[in-house]
Coordinates of all heavy atoms in Angstrom, one line a residue:
A78 N 150.3 113.1 54.3 CA 151.1 112.5 53.2 C 150.5 113.0 51.8 O 151.3 113.3 50.9 CB 150.9 111.0 53.2
G79 N 149.2 113.2 51.7 CA 148.6 113.8 50.5 C 149.1 115.2 50.3 O 149.3 115.6 49.1
V80 N 149.2 116.0 51.3 CA 149.6 117.4 51.1 C 151.0 117.4 50.6 O 151.4 118.3 49.8 CB 149.5 118.2 52.5 CG1 150.1 119.5 52.4 CG2 148.0 118.3 52.9
A81 N 151.9 116.5 51.1 CA 153.3 116.5 50.7 C 153.3 116.2 49.2 O 154.1 116.8 48.4 CB 154.1 115.4 51.4
E82 N 152.5 115.3 48.7 CA 152.4 115.0 47.2 C 151.8 116.1 46.5 O 152.3 116.5 45.4 CB 151.6 113.7 47.0 CG 152.4 112.4 47.4 CD 151.8 111.2 46.7 OE1 151.4 111.3 45.5 OE2 151.8 110.1 47.3
Y83 N 150.8 116.8 47.0 CA 150.2 117.9 46.3 C 151.3 119.0 46.1 O 151.4 119.6 45.0 CB 149.1 118.5 47.2 CG 148.5 119.8 46.7 CD1 147.5 119.8 45.7 CD2 148.9 121.0 47.3 CE1 146.9 121.0 45.3 CE2 148.4 122.2 46.8 CZ 147.4 122.2 45.8 OH 146.8 123.4 45.4
R84 N 152.1 119.3 47.1 CA 153.1 120.3 47.0 C 154.2 119.9 46.1 O 154.7 120.7 45.3 CB 153.6 120.7 48.4 CG 152.6 121.5 49.2 CD 153.1 121.7 50.6 NE 152.1 122.6 51.3 CZ 152.1 122.7 52.6 NH1 153.0 122.0 53.4 NH2 151.3 123.5 53.2
S85 N 154.7 118.6 46.2 CA 155.8 118.1 45.4 C 155.5 118.1 43.9 O 156.4 118.3 43.1 CB 156.3 116.8 45.9 OG 155.3 115.8 45.6
H86 N 154.3 118.0 43.6 CA 153.9 118.0 42.1 C 153.4 119.3 41.7 O 152.9 119.5 40.6 CB 152.8 116.9 41.9 CG 153.3 115.5 41.9 ND1 153.4 114.8 43.1 CD2 153.7 114.7 40.9 CE1 153.9 113.6 42.8 NE2 154.1 113.5 41.5
E87 N 153.5 120.3 42.6 CA 153.2 121.7 42.3 C 151.8 121.9 41.6 O 151.6 122.6 40.6 CB 154.3 122.3 41.3 CG 155.7 122.3 41.9 CD 156.7 122.9 41.0 OE1 156.5 123.0 39.8 OE2 157.7 123.4 41.5
C88 N 150.8 121.2 42.3 CA 149.5 121.3 41.8 C 148.8 122.6 42.3 O 149.3 123.2 43.2 CB 148.6 120.1 42.3 SG 149.2 118.5 41.8
N89 N 147.8 123.0 41.6 CA 147.1 124.3 41.9 C 145.6 124.2 41.9 O 144.9 125.2 42.0 CB 147.5 125.4 41.0 CG 147.1 125.2 39.6 OD1 146.5 124.2 39.2 ND2 147.4 126.2 38.7
A90 N 145.1 122.9 42.0 CA 143.7 122.7 42.1 C 143.4 121.3 42.6 O 144.3 120.4 42.4 CB 142.9 122.9 40.7
I91 N 142.3 121.1 43.2 CA 141.9 119.8 43.8 C 140.7 119.2 43.2 O 139.7 119.9 43.0 CB 141.7 119.9 45.3 CG1 142.9 120.4 46.0 CG2 141.2 118.6 45.9 CD1 143.9 119.4 46.4
L92 N 140.7 117.9 42.8 CA 139.6 117.2 42.3 C 139.3 116.0 43.1 O 140.2 115.1 43.2 CB 139.8 116.8 40.8 CG 138.7 115.9 40.2 CD1 137.3 116.5 40.2 CD2 139.1 115.5 38.8
G93 N 138.2 115.9 43.8 CA 137.9 114.8 44.7 C 136.8 113.9 44.0 O 135.8 114.5 43.6
V94 N 137.1 112.6 43.8 CA 136.1 111.7 43.2 C 135.9 110.5 44.1 O 136.9 109.8 44.3 CB 136.6 111.3 41.8 CG1 135.6 110.4 41.1 CG2 136.9 112.5 40.9
G95 N 134.7 110.3 44.6 CA 134.5 109.1 45.4 C 133.4 109.4 46.4 O 132.6 110.3 46.3
G96 N 133.4 108.6 47.5 CA 132.4 108.8 48.6 C 132.9 109.9 49.5 O 133.8 110.6 49.2
G97 N 132.3 109.9 50.7 CA 132.6 111.0 51.6 C 134.0 111.0 52.1 O 134.6 112.0 52.3
S98 N 134.6 109.8 52.2 CA 136.0 109.7 52.6 C 137.0 110.4 51.7 O 137.8 111.2 52.1 CB 136.4 108.2 52.8 OG 135.6 107.6 53.7
A99 N 136.8 110.1 50.4 CA 137.7 110.7 49.4 C 137.5 112.2 49.3 O 138.5 113.0 49.2 CB 137.5 110.0 48.0
I100 N 136.3 112.6 49.4 CA 136.0 114.0 49.2 C 136.4 114.8 50.5 O 137.0 115.9 50.4 CB 134.5 114.3 48.9 CG1 134.2 113.7 47.5 CG2 134.1 115.7 49.0 CD1 132.7 113.8 47.1
D101 N 136.2 114.2 51.7 CA 136.6 114.9 52.9 C 138.2 115.0 52.9 O 138.7 116.0 53.3 CB 136.2 114.1 54.1 CG 134.8 114.4 54.6 OD1 134.1 115.2 53.9 OD2 134.3 113.8 55.5
A102 N 138.8 113.9 52.4 CA 140.3 114.0 52.3 C 140.8 115.0 51.4 O 141.7 115.8 51.6 CB 140.8 112.6 51.9
A103 N 140.1 115.1 50.2 CA 140.5 116.1 49.2 C 140.3 117.5 49.8 O 141.2 118.4 49.6 CB 139.6 116.0 48.0
K104 N 139.3 117.8 50.6 CA 139.1 119.1 51.1 C 140.1 119.4 52.2 O 140.6 120.5 52.3 CB 137.7 119.2 51.7 CG 136.6 119.2 50.6 CD 135.2 118.8 51.2 CE 134.5 119.8 51.9 NZ 133.1 119.5 52.2
A105 N 140.5 118.4 53.0 CA 141.5 118.6 54.0 C 142.9 118.9 53.4 O 143.7 119.7 53.9 CB 141.6 117.3 54.9
I106 N 143.2 118.1 52.3 CA 144.4 118.4 51.6 C 144.5 119.8 51.0 O 145.5 120.5 51.0 CB 144.6 117.3 50.5 CG1 144.9 116.0 51.1 CG2 145.8 117.7 49.5 CD1 144.9 114.8 50.1
A107 N 143.3 120.2 50.4 CA 143.2 121.6 49.9 C 143.5 122.6 51.0 O 144.1 123.6 50.9 CB 141.8 121.8 49.3
L108 N 142.9 122.3 52.2 CA 143.1 123.2 53.4 C 144.6 123.4 53.7 O 145.1 124.6 53.8 CB 142.4 122.6 54.6 CG 142.2 123.4 55.9 CD1 141.2 122.7 56.8 CD2 143.5 123.7 56.6
L109 N 145.3 122.3 53.8 CA 146.7 122.4 54.2 C 147.6 122.7 53.0 O 148.8 123.1 53.1 CB 147.2 121.1 54.8 CG 146.7 120.8 56.2 CD1 147.3 119.5 56.7 CD2 146.9 121.9 57.1
G110 N 147.0 122.7 51.8 CA 147.8 123.2 50.6 C 148.1 124.7 50.7 O 149.1 125.1 50.1
T111 N 147.3 125.4 51.4 CA 147.5 126.9 51.5 C 147.6 127.4 52.9 O 147.7 128.6 53.1 CB 146.4 127.6 50.7 OG1 145.1 127.2 51.2 CG2 146.4 127.4 49.2
N112 N 147.4 126.5 53.9 CA 147.5 126.9 55.3 C 148.5 126.0 56.0 O 148.6 124.8 55.7 CB 146.1 126.7 56.0 CG 145.1 127.7 55.5 OD1 144.9 128.8 56.0 ND2 144.4 127.4 54.4
E113 N 149.2 126.6 56.9 CA 150.3 125.9 57.6 C 149.8 125.0 58.8 O 148.6 125.1 59.2 CB 151.3 126.9 58.2 CG 152.0 127.7 57.1 CD 152.8 126.9 56.1 OE1 153.4 125.9 56.5 OE2 152.7 127.2 54.9
G114 N 150.7 124.2 59.3 CA 150.4 123.4 60.5 C 149.8 122.0 60.2 O 149.9 121.5 59.1
S115 N 149.3 121.4 61.3 CA 148.8 120.0 61.2 C 147.2 120.2 61.1 O 146.6 121.1 61.5 CB 149.1 119.3 62.5 OG 148.3 118.1 62.6
I116 N 146.6 119.1 60.5 CA 145.2 119.2 60.3 C 144.4 119.2 61.6 O 143.4 119.8 61.7 CB 144.7 118.0 59.4 CG1 143.3 118.2 58.9 CG2 144.9 116.7 60.2 CD1 143.2 119.3 57.9
V117 N 145.0 118.7 62.7 CA 144.3 118.7 64.0 C 144.1 120.1 64.5 O 143.2 120.3 65.3 CB 145.1 117.8 65.0 CG1 145.1 116.3 64.5 CG2 146.4 118.3 65.3
E118 N 144.9 121.0 64.1 CA 144.8 122.4 64.5 C 143.6 123.1 64.0 O 143.2 124.2 64.5 CB 146.1 123.2 64.1 CG 147.4 122.7 64.7 CD 148.6 123.4 64.1 OE1 148.4 124.6 63.8 OE2 149.6 122.8 64.0
Y119 N 142.9 122.5 63.0 CA 141.7 123.1 62.4 C 140.4 122.5 62.9 O 139.4 122.9 62.3 CB 141.9 123.0 60.9 CG 143.1 123.8 60.4 CD1 144.3 123.3 60.3 CD2 142.9 125.2 60.1 CE1 145.4 124.0 59.8 CE2 144.0 125.9 59.7 CZ 145.3 125.3 59.6 OH 146.4 126.1 59.1
E120 N 140.5 121.6 63.9 CA 139.2 121.1 64.4 C 138.3 122.2 65.0 O 138.8 123.1 65.6 CB 139.5 120.0 65.5 CG 138.3 119.4 66.1 CD 138.6 118.4 67.1 OE1 139.7 118.3 67.6 OE2 137.6 117.7 67.5
G121 N 137.1 122.1 64.7 CA 136.2 123.2 65.2 C 135.6 124.0 64.0 O 135.6 123.6 62.9
V122 N 135.3 125.3 64.4 CA 134.6 126.1 63.4 C 135.4 127.3 63.1 O 136.0 128.0 64.0 CB 133.2 126.6 64.0 CG1 132.5 127.5 63.1 CG2 132.4 125.4 64.4
D123 N 135.6 127.6 61.8 CA 136.2 128.9 61.2 C 137.6 129.1 61.7 O 137.9 130.2 62.2 CB 135.3 130.1 61.6 CG 134.0 130.1 60.8 OD1 133.9 129.4 59.7 OD2 133.0 130.7 61.2
K124 N 138.4 128.1 61.6 CA 139.8 128.3 61.9 C 140.8 128.4 60.7 O 142.0 128.5 60.9 CB 140.3 127.1 62.8 CG 139.6 127.1 64.2 CD 140.1 126.0 65.1 CE 139.4 126.0 66.4 NZ 139.9 125.0 67.3
I125 N 140.2 128.4 59.5 CA 141.0 128.5 58.3 C 141.3 130.0 58.0 O 140.4 130.8 58.0 CB 140.3 127.9 57.1 CG1 140.1 126.4 57.4 CG2 141.1 128.0 55.8 CD1 139.2 125.7 56.4
L126 N 142.5 130.3 57.8 CA 142.9 131.7 57.6 C 143.1 132.2 56.2 O 142.8 133.3 55.8 CB 144.2 132.0 58.4 CG 144.2 131.8 59.9 CD1 145.6 132.1 60.5 CD2 143.2 132.7 60.6

Side-chain angles (χ1 to χ4, degrees):
V80 172
E82 285 200 37
Y83 173 84
R84 289 175 174 164
S85 68
H86 287 84
E87 298 181 338
C88 297
N89 64 357
I91 300 275
L92 170 61
V94 181
S98 299
I100 293 177
D101 278 358
K104 291 158 79 170
I106 291 168
L108 189 169
L109 290 185
T111 52
N112 291 267
E113 298 300 321
S115 166
I116 195 65
V117 299
E118 297 172 33
Y119 294 91
E120 181 179 11
V122 181
D123 290 338
K124 294 186 178 180
I125 299 172
L126 299 178

